[in-house]
Amino acid sequence: MAMRPVFISESKGSSFVRVMPVDFIWYAGMAKSRKQMSVRSLHEATRRLFPSARLLEVSRMSEDMLGEHLSAFNLTFHTKSRRREITVECAFQASKVFETGGPYLDLLDAKRDERLQSSGNLIGFEFFGQRWALEPQTAFYDWIYINALHLHPKLAEDAMAYDVFTDIAFNPDKSINCQASAVALYVSLRRRGALEEALNSRENYLQMVHGAKIVSASQREEPQGSLF
């Protein structure tokens, strides 16, 4: 048995995303087919709790093409200052600032690099001159993700057909950020009619989603306007 969180888009209330731990049968093994068996098991267990739930696995292990396309390793975007495509995952990794290095902008074309483990503790993020703190947790990752998703109208529209999202590889004991949670947040914001306001500025987003305000001088010294 194993436990994984499922992420439920909330159309009302103070929380945009409800996280529910679900116990299910885990199928060990590295093969994609084994991971997909675990996904099916997780979804079956979730439907026992929420019989009418519309579930989507958001990862490269998804048996739904939409879920694969929504993987942070596949979802791409362009910034105003950069014309080539960048995946959400590469943008997130390249933006990490450590005690002794970073951000490593060359990682915009990569997915793994030894420097991400050898540069000391993570102390923040820097995304094309825009600085982000480690708190609120997930704020920076979710900001990149929901902006990128909004640039893909067809994917975004298809995601709206679901209300519960999973990522079989995400383990909350080992990781903080989750692509399934980010999709759930996007769907919740859009259903509430709050998406455009949230995406209008980082300040709006932080206040609306996290109840946080940007207060440090270093954070205020940023380029004006959206990077997306």
Side-chain angles (χ1 to χ4, degrees), residues 4-6 38 43 71 94 112 131 138 144 149 156 158 160 166 168 197 200 208 215 217 223 226:
R4 288 291 185 272
V6 301
S38 292
H43 284 197
S71 164
R112 292 288 184 266
R131 297 181 183 180
T138 81
I144 294 178
L149 178 54
D158 290 346
M160 297 300 296
T166 63
I168 198 63
E197 182 180 354
N200 186 57
M208 180 183 299
V215 294
S226 172

Side-chain angles (χ1 to χ4, degrees), residues 125-126 129-133 202 214-223:
F125 304 94
E126 185 172 326
Q130 189 180 77
R131 297 181 183 180
W132 290 73
R202 183 174 67 155
I214 300 174
V215 294
S216 74
S218 62
Q219 287 176 316
R220 288 196 297 268
E221 294 168 0
E222 64 180 55

Side-chain angles (χ1 to χ4, degrees), residues 4-15:
R4 288 291 185 272
V6 301
F7 301 92
I8 305 166
S9 292
E10 297 280 61
S11 298
K12 58 184 179 180
S14 59
S15 176

